[in-house]
Amino acid sequence: MSMAIINTFGNVDVYILLLSSWFLVSAVCVWGRPATFLQDFEITWSKTHIRQIDQGRAIQLILDQNSGCGFASKSKYMFGRVSMKIKLIPGDSAGTVTAFYMNSDTDTVRDELDFEFLGNRSGQPYTVQTNIYAHGKGDREQRVNLWFDPSADFHTYTIMWNHHHIVFYVDDFPIRVYKNSEGKGIPYPTMQPMGVYSTLWEADNWATRGGLEKIDWSKAPFYAYYKDFDIEGCPVPGPANCASNQSNWWEGAAYQALNAIEARRYRWVRLNHIIYDYCQDKSRFPVIPPECLAGI
């Protein structure tokens, strides 16, 4: 701030006030979102196995022979974008599952959008499984082998959900797209708000090579780390017209389909890293599911 401004106001107190305001605006611009853990989330399972780090800006999840753990958002949301930075279990993590997902928390007609990171034996690629439940119907698993070591550093995992499609992102790479084809009679989650959840748990009956690889408890405890918790959506309860408001940024033209760069990245992932797609599994689905025929 120049001396000319001080001279204009002729008051040092005004200068101090303006300087303070400038620092405040700057801080908002620099920090803004993401939130601390306790602003948006609460521990739902085994408080002793979730530790806050860096004054709540990051957390550590712990799995040992006594317990896993989990947390959930305090609110549910209709449409929007949810992302977290996660550093997964290093080394021999076979039989463990680190999950990050959205769920309507309804028993009979469930909507759910899943990231499930399946532990592995050391030296093998980390697999991420995605699944989608719409109007109570699931069994839509796809698996992708990650092209980097997700335990070496934090990576951003994002779920985008709007009236047009659902997109799962790993960093800036879309790994799965599920289009809204309700007009063709294909279920799509449009009626129920969903909370944001995460768990770290034992699943060695299926997680690694179909359950062939069991947890080596001599490697326990297992740790996963989360930070940069970012939820942008319509909270429920909240303004009644929020979810249908086409002016929400996530409903904008730029988010109604993949852009050219995203489309190239998506093709690259599908060609080089997908290892399972329920649409291709004729043993489970002799009749191809209708959403697969719709090009989803």
Side-chain angles (χ1 to χ4, degrees):
M1 185 173 293
S2 69
M3 291 302 296
I5 294 178
I6 301 175
N7 292 335
T8 298
F9 289 101
N11 188 323
V12 174
D13 291 336
V14 173
Y15 166 71
I16 293 172
L17 179 61
L18 288 171
L19 187 63
S20 300
S21 300
W22 181 82
F23 277 118
L24 179 60
V25 171
S26 298
V28 170
C29 292
V30 171
W31 299 110
R33 281 293 215 170
T36 61
F37 174 68
L38 288 180
Q39 280 181 264
D40 286 338
F41 296 95
E42 58 190 3
I43 297 171
T44 56
W45 172 31
S46 189
K47 291 184 178 181
T48 59
H49 284 61
I50 295 183
R51 297 173 182 165
Q52 294 189 62
I53 303 170
D54 190 20
Q55 297 180 325
R57 286 185 283 272
I59 57 171
Q60 177 193 59
L61 276 63
I62 304 166
L63 169 65
D64 57 27
Q65 284 182 284
N66 295 315
S67 182
C69 56
F71 63 88
S73 60
K74 296 176 181 178
S75 299
K76 291 184 178 181
Y77 301 87
M78 280 296 294
F79 305 110
R81 183 182 66 187
V82 178
S83 70
M84 295 184 190
K85 289 185 178 178
I86 305 174
K87 183 161 68 171
L88 295 170
I89 300 168
D92 185 346
S93 58
T96 69
V97 173
T98 307
F100 161 43
Y101 59 102
M102 301 187 72
N103 190 324
S104 62
D105 196 24
T106 47
D107 293 332
T108 55
V109 184
R110 174 166 47 133
D111 291 331
E112 184 170 319
L113 311 173
D114 294 334
F115 270 117
E116 293 178 305
F117 303 94
L118 311 182
N120 64 359
R121 290 265 98 98
S122 298
Q124 298 175 1
Y126 236 108
T127 299
V128 56
Q129 174 171 285
T130 59
N131 198 3
I132 294 171
Y133 285 78
H135 301 185
K137 174 67 173 68
D139 298 327
R140 296 183 173 98
E141 300 93 346
Q142 294 183 0
R143 293 185 179 185
V144 169
N145 275 348
L146 295 174
W147 50 95
F148 54 86
D149 180 359
S151 68
D153 202 353
F154 286 93
H155 291 266
T156 304
Y157 303 94
T158 302
I159 300 171
M160 168 68 78
W161 170 36
N162 61 29
H163 283 85
H164 304 276
H165 61 189
I166 295 160
V167 186
F168 293 82
Y169 289 91
V170 173
D171 292 324
D172 294 323
F173 284 71
I175 66 167
R176 183 171 186 175
V177 178
Y178 186 87
K179 298 177 183 177
N180 184 347
S181 296
E182 281 191 311
K184 300 178 181 179
I186 297 169
Y188 188 85
T190 56
M191 302 302 293
Q192 300 185 104
M194 289 189 269
V196 183
Y197 298 83
S198 185
T199 53
L200 174 58
W201 52 294
E202 171 193 355
D204 67 3
N205 61 324
W206 68 272
T208 308
R209 295 183 59 216
L212 295 177
E213 305 282 0
K214 303 299 183 181
I215 288 183
D216 182 354
W217 287 112
S218 70
K219 304 293 195 301
F222 302 100
Y223 301 111
Y225 296 86
Y226 288 65
K227 68 177 183 178
D228 292 3
F229 313 96
D230 191 3
I231 302 175
E232 298 177 71
C234 292
V236 178
N241 62 345
C242 181
S244 60
N245 186 352
Q246 294 301 307
S247 297
N248 291 325
W249 70 261
W250 53 84
E251 302 289 356
Y255 304 99
Q256 295 178 13
L258 301 183
N259 62 40
I261 293 174
E262 290 176 332
R264 286 198 298 272
R265 290 173 173 175
Y266 182 57
R267 287 194 295 270
W268 177 79
V269 170
R270 308 297 290 182
L271 285 171
N272 296 286
H273 295 284
I274 190 165
I275 60 170
Y276 177 81
D277 183 353
Y278 76 106
C279 289
Q280 308 298 323
D281 191 340
K282 293 184 178 179
S283 63
R284 288 180 63 199
F285 302 101
V287 177
I288 298 175
E291 65 270 17
C292 301
L293 297 174
I296 296 173

